[in-house]
Amino acid sequence: MAEMKRCTNIDRISNLPWDVLDTILVHIPLKEAVRTSILSSKWRYKWTGLSRFNIDDKCFPSYLSDKVLRWKVILKIIHQVQSNHGGPVEKFRLAAYCMPNHCDLDQWIWFLTDKGIKELILKEFDSIKRFKLPPEVFSCPQLSCLELYGCIIMLSPTFRGLNSLISLNLSHIYISCDTLESLIANCPVLERLTLINIDHSTVFKISNLNLKYLKIDSKFEDICLKSVPLLSTVDIRLRVKPRHSDQGKACNLVRVIGCLYSINKLILSSNFLEFLAYNDVPERLPAMLNHLLTLDLRDARLDSSKVVKVLLSILCSSPSLEELIISVSPLCRYTFLDFQRSECLVGLYFNKLKVVKIRGLLSTNHECEFIKFILAHSPVLETITIVTYGGEIIPNSVLLQFEPASEHVKVISLRS
Amino acid sequence: MSSVKKVTLKSSDGEIFEVEETVAMESQTIKGLIEDDCADNAIPLPNVTGHILSLVIQYCKEHTSSSDSNSSKSNEKLKAWDTQFINVDLNVLFDLIMAANYLNVKGLLDLTCQTVADMIKEKTPEQIRAMFNIVNDFTPEEEEEVRRENAWAFEISLKNNNVVDTFEVEESMAKELQTIKNMIEDNYTDSVIPLHNVTSDILELVIEDCKKHVEAAESESEPSYSLASKLIDDPLKA
């Protein structure tokens, strides 16, 4: 930006209305905001009244590696804020390597809940799952965004719900199944839920009438998505091999995914696909997923005929699909072994499918069968990108021989 | 063809502006007045001069047409327009901030505040004071007190040129070295001060000595002073 005459003759900044100055100062790193204390006596405590505080590793010089000393610095900051702060604190983020004293942290959180905190991000890296979050957090009327790492969550018996909570992100948290279920169900405006490494909860029971986005990356034994009419994006990765399920129970794919009528985007990773494959996978889901636009399979064990069945079952149930992305697991030695055009597939056309990306193929005949099928049944396909690992690239000339249904399809074949 | 609804705005110095209602509604303040049916005649805006009001209207026009679904203006183009727009005299910038606040035009308030924030970022206190005409009314003792109170925020870095070893030291300590003190006072804007003639092991020794010197000065013990200064001068002659 060209430097125009950028000096004022009078001091116009020190007397700006507080909320305007706050809007300016929250755009600079906390360390620099604190440095304004030296500008003049008027400025000495202005920084303590900020509406947002972001304490992370950038606040500390690199030679200060002792985590106890780092906490002492943080404590100094929060004491100064507590002594001087006038208005509300909207956002507080703590994501620094340090060793928090849990009493001090408790007291500070108490202070924040009193100050009408809206966004609280707390990452306790030191004593993971030993810090019990004060229950006051869960009665904050204005809390709209909560992100926690490494604490223990227990709800008080008087827990009524968080009426303003829109986004909840829990990572490496200790929370029981029932507490989690209750927490999710009692947040009436919740839109986004992220659960990472919540390993003590063996069963995830998720029920929320407003939920739109769900991401899970954790170990679990079972999952139940009930009453989630607005759920539009689901991204699930199961970190452990699924346990063998009792025979005679309903198919997991039908039970978990089959009821997501509003779903727009499905991201299913690794072991979760094997979980979904348990018990007889039908050729098609009982009800169509009319709004599914994107299907993204990651780390997919397509050497398992059951997983292939899961893929085909979803494809047969998604008339509006626009984008198909498949990443084959590097553990596969072959893929699509049993791919055959079943009754269901013969008359199936992907009338909206525009983009296909398949990564990790090994250039086998069976794969070619699958690609041939996709090409022949996708009349509006725009691009298909194929990335093979090792082996030969499938030459474009061969691919074009597959008689694609779409005239203008662009075929991209790469080798990684 | 339906006529586009317009509202009339009157600046503090009597200038009249006729604006489309949708454009005027970018200001939440004006929107409120329109919705409360107080906008039949000219809306007086006693806190905004004609010059500034015309700029605000320009901003609103540009940003209303961009939220129009027919508009093909990309985000990048809009950002480029904003950058050009905000390239104004500092006095005008402050006037725009006050107007955006009074008229409650969120986008403009964010843009103007971000601009001022960018001006403050990575500047030394001396530079900030000069830029905004802030008078330093601290006594030297008070200033020291503030620096000590918030010591962690006032750390700066020294860097050796050959082997990139960064040493972070308190500013008070670094000032013990005249050369560095001069650099700081000349408002060396880089947050890392490169020292071309000093290797890292020598620099380490020098910093150690500075530490002792500062500690000695604080405990008011005379003899250490002269000893330390001898050691300090030599390495820098290398």
Side-chain angles (χ1 to χ4, degrees):
Chain A
M1 206 161 32
E3 287 290 328
M4 289 191 78
K5 185 170 188 289
R6 288 191 168 276
C7 286
T8 50
N9 294 324
I10 51 164
D11 179 0
R12 291 189 68 178
I13 193 172
S14 305
N15 294 318
L16 282 176
W18 172 244
D19 49 350
V20 174
L21 197 52
D22 181 66
T23 310
I24 296 174
L25 292 177
V26 295
H27 281 121
I28 65 179
L30 182 61
K31 198 169 168 177
E32 293 197 47
V34 174
R35 280 215 282 265
T36 63
S37 56
I38 203 84
L39 290 174
S40 76
S41 58
K42 219 178 187 154
W43 281 84
R44 186 166 179 176
Y45 297 111
K46 277 195 202 275
W47 71 270
T48 61
L50 287 175
S51 64
R52 293 197 227 163
F53 293 95
N54 179 13
I55 301 180
D56 59 17
D57 289 320
K58 292 199 202 100
C59 291
F60 306 100
S62 48
Y63 66 75
L64 190 65
S65 53
D66 182 311
K67 49 191 181 181
V68 174
L69 289 181
R70 283 179 154 213
W71 176 250
K72 285 208 153 63
V73 172
I74 295 175
L75 201 55
K76 217 174 178 185
I77 300 172
I78 64 188
H79 278 164
Q80 280 179 293
V81 175
Q82 275 178 294
S83 326
N84 295 302
H85 206 285
V89 179
E90 275 185 18
K91 176 174 173 180
F92 178 73
R93 177 174 179 262
L94 173 61
Y97 171 70
C98 63
M99 185 156 112
N101 172 306
H102 291 163
C103 272
D104 292 327
L105 196 53
D106 248 1
Q107 213 222 357
W108 169 244
I109 293 173
W110 220 151
F111 175 81
L112 288 175
T113 57
D114 217 24
K115 285 283 184 181
I117 187 104
K118 288 189 187 152
E119 256 185 80
L120 178 61
I121 300 169
L122 204 61
K123 300 196 183 183
E124 221 291 51
F125 296 121
D126 183 54
S127 54
I128 292 185
K129 295 182 193 169
R130 272 178 276 149
F131 172 58
K132 185 160 165 263
L133 198 68
E136 287 81 39
V137 175
F138 297 99
S139 49
C140 264
Q142 284 150 313
L143 193 63
S144 76
C145 170
L146 181 61
E147 189 178 325
L148 300 169
Y149 183 106
C151 0
I152 301 173
I153 295 179
M154 285 190 199
L155 297 175
S156 78
T158 55
F159 173 66
R160 290 276 165 272
L162 283 168
N163 291 330
S164 310
L165 195 67
I166 297 177
S167 165
L168 178 62
N169 183 321
L170 304 177
S171 183
H172 293 83
I173 300 283
Y174 179 92
I175 185 171
S176 73
C177 300
D178 294 334
T179 308
L180 183 58
E181 186 185 357
S182 176
L183 180 56
I184 296 169
N186 285 306
C187 296
V189 298
L190 190 66
E191 286 181 15
R192 298 180 64 92
L193 175 63
T194 304
L195 302 170
I196 300 181
N197 282 8
I198 314 291
D199 297 339
H200 289 96
S201 284
T202 48
V203 180
F204 288 125
K205 289 187 217 150
I206 294 164
S207 166
N208 185 295
L209 296 174
N210 203 53
L211 194 65
K212 300 193 171 80
Y213 171 93
L214 172 66
K215 178 178 162 121
I216 299 179
D217 184 346
S218 180
K219 294 180 187 166
F220 56 88
E221 284 179 16
D222 197 6
I223 179 169
C224 178
L225 302 175
K226 207 169 42 157
S227 303
V228 282
L230 297 182
L231 195 55
S232 112
T233 301
V234 163
D235 177 351
I236 302 183
R237 172 185 286 271
L238 176 58
R239 283 184 170 262
V240 75
K241 279 245 173 281
R243 265 193 355 188
H244 280 273
S245 165
D246 307 319
Q247 291 300 322
K249 273 179 86 181
C251 168
N252 283 344
L253 174 65
V254 172
R255 187 171 57 84
V256 179
I257 304 291
C259 56
L260 302 177
Y261 305 124
S262 331
I263 198 83
N264 289 137
K265 187 168 181 177
L266 267 179
I267 304 173
L268 309 170
S269 307
S270 68
N271 296 309
F272 189 58
L273 286 166
E274 288 163 60
F275 170 85
L276 291 175
Y278 269 118
N279 300 332
D280 300 313
V281 178
E283 279 185 5
R284 177 189 280 148
L285 294 172
M288 300 295 255
L289 300 176
N290 286 320
H291 305 278
L292 185 62
L293 302 174
T294 303
L295 178 62
D296 186 345
L297 303 187
R298 298 181 182 176
D299 218 13
R301 292 300 297 259
L302 290 169
D303 50 356
S304 153
S305 56
K306 286 176 130 203
V307 172
V308 173
K309 274 190 185 165
V310 167
L311 167 60
L312 296 176
S313 181
I314 299 177
L315 287 179
C316 287
S317 320
S318 312
S320 311
L321 196 67
E322 290 181 8
E323 198 181 0
L324 174 63
I325 306 169
I326 301 175
S327 295
V328 180
S329 163
L331 298 170
C332 295
R333 292 272 156 266
Y334 52 84
T335 59
F336 288 111
L337 202 56
D338 299 322
F339 177 69
Q340 272 163 30
R341 295 167 195 234
S342 66
E343 282 284 322
C344 198
L345 291 176
V346 168
L348 178 67
Y349 284 88
F350 304 111
N351 292 323
K352 301 267 169 66
L353 191 61
K354 296 206 188 93
V355 177
V356 174
K357 293 181 194 162
I358 311 182
R359 176 186 282 117
L361 292 183
L362 305 153
S363 304
T364 62
N365 288 332
H366 303 282
E367 287 161 5
C368 285
E369 278 302 305
F370 178 70
I371 297 169
K372 199 170 168 182
F373 166 73
I374 294 285
L375 282 170
H377 287 244
S378 310
V380 299
L381 192 61
E382 286 170 16
T383 59
I384 174 165
T385 310
I386 301 166
V387 182
T388 50
Y389 288 166
E392 301 282 304
I393 305 179
I394 306 170
N396 283 3
S397 48
V398 172
L399 289 167
L400 287 167
Q401 269 173 34
F402 287 165
E403 293 163 8
S406 162
E407 279 176 21
H408 306 286
V409 65
K410 188 169 165 200
V411 177
I412 304 166
S413 184
L414 306 165
R415 184 171 59 190
S416 173
Chain B
M1 197 185 88
S2 62
S3 60
V4 180
K5 229 179 162 205
K6 295 208 169 178
V7 295
T8 315
L9 306 173
K10 185 163 157 194
S11 71
S12 62
D13 44 358
E15 243 185 282
I16 305 281
F17 295 87
E18 225 185 50
V19 203
E20 281 177 30
E21 195 179 87
T22 41
V23 172
M25 302 247 273
E26 288 282 312
S27 152
Q28 296 298 311
T29 310
I30 296 178
K31 183 171 185 244
L33 290 172
I34 295 176
E35 286 171 351
D36 284 345
D37 261 340
C38 302
D40 291 332
N41 304 318
I43 301 177
L45 301 170
N47 294 346
V48 193
T49 63
H51 172 46
I52 299 300
L53 187 54
S54 71
L55 287 173
V56 176
I57 292 171
Q58 242 182 69
Y59 177 88
C60 293
K61 267 200 187 129
E62 195 66 28
H63 282 253
T64 319
S65 67
S66 300
S67 55
D68 203 349
S69 49
N70 293 329
S71 162
S72 56
K73 205 156 220 161
S74 66
N75 266 336
E76 288 134 35
K77 277 205 177 132
L78 198 56
K79 263 198 169 155
W81 189 92
D82 280 351
T83 310
Q84 202 36 10
F85 175 77
I86 210 66
N87 195 9
V88 291
D89 191 69
L90 197 54
N91 268 310
V92 174
L93 186 59
F94 276 111
D95 287 333
L96 278 174
I97 290 180
M98 296 305 286
N101 187 40
Y102 169 64
L103 292 170
N104 201 344
V105 184
K106 187 174 186 307
L108 183 57
L109 188 61
D110 284 341
L111 176 64
T112 47
C113 287
Q114 177 73 62
T115 308
V116 178
D118 290 339
M119 290 168 75
I120 295 178
K121 249 192 250 189
E122 285 166 28
K123 299 286 194 311
T124 66
E126 289 82 13
Q127 286 173 309
I128 299 174
R129 285 194 201 110
M131 204 162 19
F132 295 102
N133 244 275
I134 302 173
V135 174
N136 181 3
D137 57 353
F138 281 127
T139 66
E141 294 82 31
E142 283 172 342
E143 197 169 319
E144 256 319 293
E145 208 184 301
V146 177
R147 272 183 201 275
R148 243 181 297 131
E149 202 170 69
N150 300 318
W152 63 276
F154 289 101
E155 313 282 353
I156 56 167
S157 314
L158 300 172
K159 173 185 122 181
N160 167 277
N161 207 40
N162 305 320
V163 181
V164 185
D165 254 5
T166 318
F167 297 85
E168 275 165 322
V169 291
E170 279 188 44
E171 202 179 290
S172 53
M173 252 168 38
K175 278 192 170 175
E176 290 300 314
L177 301 167
Q178 272 306 120
T179 314
I180 295 173
K181 182 167 184 241
N182 290 336
M183 282 180 172
I184 295 172
E185 284 174 353
D186 285 342
N187 301 318
Y188 201 102
T189 51
D190 212 11
S191 58
V192 177
I193 299 178
L195 300 171
H196 302 283
N197 296 334
V198 193
T199 59
S200 38
D201 30 21
I202 298 295
L203 189 54
E204 243 178 61
L205 285 175
V206 174
I207 291 174
E208 271 308 301
D209 283 310
C210 288
K211 266 195 193 141
K212 288 185 199 142
H213 174 64
V214 169
E215 281 160 26
E218 281 175 358
S219 62
E220 287 170 354
S221 128
E222 290 288 335
S224 335
Y225 183 92
S226 41
L227 185 66
S229 67
K230 246 199 210 160
L231 286 161
I232 288 167
D233 281 18
D234 273 343
L236 286 180
K237 280 193 189 137

